[in-house]
Amino acid sequence: MHHNERQADAKPAAHSVDSPAAARHHQPSTPPGTGNRQRALTSVLRPVRQLAHRTDDATLRDQLELVRIPAPPFGEEERGASVLERLREAGYDDAACDEVGNVLATLPGAAGAEPVVVAAHLDTVFPAGTDVEPRHDGGRIYAPGITDNSRGLAGMLAVARLVRTAGIRTRRPILFVATVGEEGTGDLRGVKHLFREGSPLRTAAAFVALDGSGMRRIVHRAIGSRRLRVTVEGPGGHSWADRGAPNPIVALAAATAEVSTLALPHPERSSLTVARIGGGTSINAVPDAAWLELDMRSEAPGVLLELEASVRGIVKRVVREESTGRRPGTDALSCEVAVIGDRPSAETPARSELVRISTQVTSSLGAEPELVSSSTDANVPMALGIPSIAIGVGGDSGGIHTTDEWYANDHGALGIERALLIVLEAAGVVE
Ligand SMILES: [Zn+2]
């Protein structure tokens, strides 16, 4: 998830439970809805909601143990194995890894019912070798990935354990998934595999991504992105003897200048960034190759393709123009544009059942719901029309995607309770 810097939620008002004693006496408020069914539901859910608070320390222990296991992009195996073991210990005998390394476990439901998918990503943005040892300072725990996404993983494990321990039965099966490849160059490869062509999950009833911290945010709009790597190659040569030869760097510099001033459709909901650039061999040589990487994002479906067409057109033209100046007999520049990232834009309507449940549960726990957009694992099922959201799992945090990342377990258990109630409402509790 591309988090806003600091995920500081307003303190939940009525239901602060920041002490085990308070947890024991935590009287869950009546969940959303009315009448007998809700009262029955309240009595079915009361014990598991209280258990969510009594197991707050165990949840934090998972979080601390998981953050110590590095999970760089394309390097999630070890952490995946640890999550698999924890799911099996929690009684999910069917827990297993799929072809790409996602870890899956199912709480059965009524036969034939479409599942609710609960996902948390395994990977972090931090390369192998990063020091991930947690450091405690005051009420904060500092460690790269402690919130994004060790908190989400610990939250998923907690919900999976709670429903099993409490013997909760649901109408719909609940599929718990620890996904690979959510961050950066991972390009959502884990969730894309889950919802690949022909996958039975394409008709899932709902998708809930647990990502990061907090109590208020409900991601129901997906910021899509399209990432391109443009490579320009030319004859190169000696900077004196071959002066005037077409220069890939000159072409890319011209392309950069033009694409950076492109008029963005829906500028408030779109962005274009020339993120990385490189090339050249030595100071006394005309470069024979140069490249740039470009990141385009938009909440509005359709905008990315439009932007990409403009970018490709500009690159093609400036490469041609740089080639026309060359001396007779020298080769022209060649250009290749590769897609290195593709995340769909989409939206789960705010009036949808899943978003309505999420806002009601959030309010019922004393936090003010905030409907937001972001790029998460939910992008993929959302773009397939499956009701999908992403939420944080309690606590407070900052420094996301930096080595100064921290987490504070402030009302952490309330975040677990929120995730639990949203998932159970979506799956339909059988009394
Ligand atoms: Zn994340």
Side-chain angles (χ1 to χ4, degrees):
M1 176 188 279
H2 298 277
H3 303 249
N4 299 335
E5 176 55 27
R6 168 95 192 266
Q7 285 224 300
D9 284 331
K11 295 276 169 297
H15 304 274
S16 61
V17 290
D18 47 18
S19 72
R24 258 194 310 285
H25 302 301
H26 173 63
Q27 296 309 322
S29 60
T30 304
T34 57
N36 293 344
R37 187 183 172 296
Q38 282 315 327
R39 266 186 291 284
L41 202 54
T42 305
S43 64
V44 168
L45 291 178
R46 182 181 301 275
V48 71
R49 294 177 65 174
Q50 291 175 333
L51 189 58
H53 292 267
R54 280 206 301 279
T55 53
D56 187 32
D57 294 347
T59 303
L60 193 61
R61 203 169 33 250
D62 267 342
Q63 191 175 348
L64 283 165
E65 288 168 4
L66 288 169
V67 78
R68 283 191 176 91
I69 307 171
F74 301 93
E76 301 98 334
E77 301 81 14
E78 200 189 335
R79 188 180 281 186
S82 178
V83 170
L84 178 62
E85 198 187 320
R86 289 161 205 265
L87 284 166
R88 289 194 172 142
E89 274 164 15
Y92 291 88
D93 303 333
D94 73 324
C97 276
D98 70 9
E99 303 76 9
V100 299
N102 297 318
V103 179
L104 297 86
T106 306
L107 182 87
E114 296 296 349
V116 169
V117 181
V118 180
H121 70 87
L122 286 161
D123 56 320
T124 73
V125 296
F126 304 101
T130 304
D131 176 5
V132 291
E133 188 54 33
R135 178 173 58 81
H136 294 257
D137 184 350
R140 293 179 177 181
I141 305 163
Y142 287 86
I146 185 68
T147 297
D148 186 17
N149 193 29
S150 288
R151 183 63 190 172
L153 286 168
M156 184 197 67
L157 287 166
V159 172
R161 265 197 215 101
L162 287 164
V163 292
R164 232 196 148 82
T165 310
I168 300 275
R169 287 182 306 125
T170 55
R171 201 159 35 79
R172 297 182 180 287
I174 304 176
L175 174 63
F176 296 99
V177 190
T179 61
V180 297
E182 192 272 347
E183 299 283 10
T185 53
D187 202 35
L188 303 180
R189 69 193 173 86
V191 73
K192 282 178 179 175
H193 181 74
L194 281 180
F195 292 95
R196 64 195 178 281
E197 200 68 48
S199 163
L201 290 178
R202 283 192 163 221
T203 54
F207 180 95
V208 178
L210 303 181
D211 202 331
S213 67
M215 275 295 293
R216 299 183 48 201
R217 291 159 54 89
I218 298 164
V219 175
H220 76 115
R221 287 195 308 274
I223 298 173
S225 58
R226 191 84 170 160
R227 292 156 173 174
L228 305 177
R229 183 181 172 95
V230 180
T231 307
V232 177
E233 292 180 343
H238 187 279
S239 57
W240 177 253
D242 302 305
R243 62 193 177 281
N247 184 332
I249 289 181
V250 172
L252 285 184
T256 300
E258 272 202 54
V259 298
S260 302
T261 55
L262 259 179
L264 297 179
H266 303 282
E268 72 297 345
R269 301 176 68 200
S270 308
S271 71
L272 185 153
T273 312
V274 176
R276 298 194 329 136
I277 195 162
T281 48
S282 67
I283 190 60
N284 59 357
V286 178
D288 59 4
W291 56 269
L292 68 75
E293 287 180 354
L294 187 141
D295 173 74
M296 299 173 286
R297 294 169 193 258
S298 184
E299 288 177 22
V303 165
L304 292 174
L305 289 179
E306 196 184 318
L307 261 182
E308 181 175 337
S310 307
V311 167
R312 285 178 182 270
I314 289 169
V315 167
K316 204 167 166 202
R317 177 169 44 75
V318 297
V319 163
R320 197 178 52 243
E321 285 167 2
E322 173 57 16
S323 291
T324 49
R326 73 186 185 283
R327 277 196 309 193
T330 55
D331 291 344
L333 297 180
S334 67
C335 171
E336 190 206 317
V337 179
V339 177
I340 56 172
D342 181 20
R343 300 169 180 235
S345 316
E347 179 166 348
T348 297
R351 64 183 183 286
S352 71
E353 175 80 1
L354 182 62
V355 176
R356 191 184 56 71
I357 287 170
S358 310
T359 48
Q360 282 188 345
V361 166
T362 303
S363 310
S364 75
L365 295 171
E368 192 197 331
E370 190 188 1
L371 297 186
V372 296
S373 61
S374 188
S375 175
T376 70
D377 272 340
N379 285 36
V380 171
M382 215 185 271
L384 291 170
I386 296 167
S388 306
I389 59 165
I391 56 171
V393 202
D396 199 0
S397 68
I400 302 295
H401 287 187
T402 75
T403 49
D404 297 324
E405 185 173 333
W406 59 269
Y407 174 79
N409 196 39
D410 190 2
H411 304 281
L414 212 55
I416 303 291
E417 192 181 352
R418 178 170 83 133
L420 174 74
L421 289 177
I422 291 171
V423 169
L424 289 179
E425 276 283 326
V429 173
V430 177
E431 290 116 62

